[in-house]
Amino acid sequence: MLTNQAAAAGLDNDTSWTALYEEEADVHGDYVTEVRNAVEYGLNDPRDSAEMACVAAEVADASVKALLSEWSLYNPAGRCDRRLRAPGPASQQRRRPDRACARGRPDRRAREAELPAPAGPGQPANLADALATLQKVANTVNGLVDRHASTTVRALHAAPSTAVLPDNAHETVVAAATLLAKQCDQKVTLNRRHPDETYEDDGSGFGCGCDVTIAAGAEEFNFHRGDSEWVLTRESDGREEPGGVTAFSTWATLSSTLKTAHPQQLVDDILGVVAADRT
């Protein structure tokens, strides 16, 4: 049950906030699929428990690292990425201590062995003490999630997008060229290979054929969409081949691979590469 006092678009009191990220996991499924396959296959022995616990710890750490990026909340496809950021880690924090405690509850463990009594003063902590500590942590985390997660998710879900963002690779190239022309102190040229309105995404990892050249002193850089990545080549690294084609064996791969990457993120990368080359 959602506990917010105010309504938000797309959510009501019958909507589980955890369902938002669970539905999105069906779309962003590369990592999720591996875990779901393991669950479907069966998690039945201590090794499975240990492996899943290690996965949970790695994911928690990776989530924090991912959120440290200034572009981590960029929502290129207009979907629920912004609301996904809150329930995912919140739910993870809620479930991990809960389930750890569940493994050690007396009614479960009684089938294997009797739990010892809590250690007395001056005695080493034992399993009962460890489970009591886990339960205390679980109660603290659960209380925070119950009070804040739903409200946070509602606010993120209802927040309108104010940025005009690209819908495809061609629009990304054009937008990046516009920003480069304003922010780069060198000559920037957008090389159009087709009219804007004629581009149709063919579903491949490549772009539309348009590119951007940056004349930086005696060097020239070229920004374009490569094979499922954004790349920046340096003209002096090119090798002339028969037919007038220039081939490159080295190039700079930019930080985002999305066709609809935020243009400013790409421009920051480009300017960084150009500046490093000139020093």
Side-chain angles (χ1 to χ4, degrees):
M1 178 67 72
L2 295 175
T3 58
N4 299 67
Q5 300 302 310
L11 292 176
D12 56 44
N13 285 336
D14 294 324
T15 302
S16 167
W17 60 267
T18 58
L20 294 173
Y21 82 89
E22 288 168 350
E23 291 172 2
E24 193 68 5
D26 292 332
V27 178
H28 300 290
D30 290 347
Y31 300 123
V32 175
T33 298
E34 294 294 327
V35 175
R36 289 182 174 177
N37 287 342
V39 172
E40 184 177 355
Y41 183 79
L43 302 174
N44 303 310
D45 59 47
R47 183 178 64 179
D48 294 329
S49 300
E51 288 184 359
M52 284 298 112
C54 291
V55 169
E58 289 289 337
V59 168
D61 184 58
S63 297
V64 172
K65 290 180 179 177
L67 288 167
L68 290 176
S69 167
E70 63 180 312
W71 301 105
S72 64
L73 297 181
Y74 168 52
N75 181 24
R79 294 204 286 250
C80 68
D81 299 59
R82 61 185 182 276
R83 70 181 185 240
L84 175 65
R85 301 297 180 175
S91 178
Q92 187 178 58
Q93 292 298 324
R94 176 175 188 158
R95 293 181 181 184
R96 190 163 62 247
D98 246 3
R99 291 179 179 175
C101 289
R103 289 291 184 187
R105 287 173 185 157
D107 59 333
R108 298 282 183 88
R109 290 295 302 274
R111 285 174 280 181
E112 302 173 14
E114 291 295 329
L115 284 174
Q123 295 180 326
N126 57 32
L127 179 59
D129 298 304
L131 292 175
T133 300
L134 279 174
Q135 187 63 64
K136 183 178 179 181
V137 172
N139 292 340
T140 300
V141 172
N142 288 346
L144 291 171
V145 171
D146 287 338
R147 290 195 299 274
H148 302 296
S150 172
T151 303
T152 302
V153 172
R154 277 181 179 270
L156 289 170
H157 181 50
S161 175
T162 57
V164 178
L165 300 172
D167 288 328
N168 54 51
H170 173 70
E171 291 187 8
T172 303
V173 171
V174 173
T178 300
L179 291 175
L180 280 169
K182 296 177 180 178
Q183 300 175 26
C184 183
D185 59 359
Q186 306 296 314
K187 182 181 179 181
V188 175
T189 304
L190 170 61
N191 304 303
R192 296 179 182 269
R193 312 300 181 188
H194 59 83
D196 290 346
E197 63 276 5
T198 63
Y199 173 66
E200 293 185 8
D201 192 336
D202 60 7
S204 71
F206 291 92
C208 62
C210 299
D211 56 48
V212 180
T213 54
I214 305 103
E219 188 61 84
E220 183 176 276
F221 293 85
N222 183 277
F223 162 67
H224 59 277
R225 179 76 179 174
D227 185 2
S228 301
E229 61 185 10
W230 293 102
V231 300
L232 187 69
T233 57
R234 187 169 51 186
E235 188 65 25
S236 61
D237 292 330
R239 183 181 68 256
E240 289 292 332
E241 295 193 340
V245 177
T246 303
F248 293 87
S249 59
T250 182
W251 57 84
T253 300
L254 305 190
S255 59
S256 178
T257 61
L258 294 173
K259 288 184 179 181
T260 52
H262 198 298
Q264 187 61 60
Q265 181 178 3
L266 299 175
V267 167
D268 289 349
D269 290 346
I270 293 169
L271 294 178
V273 173
V274 172
D277 187 76
R278 297 173 66 184
T279 57

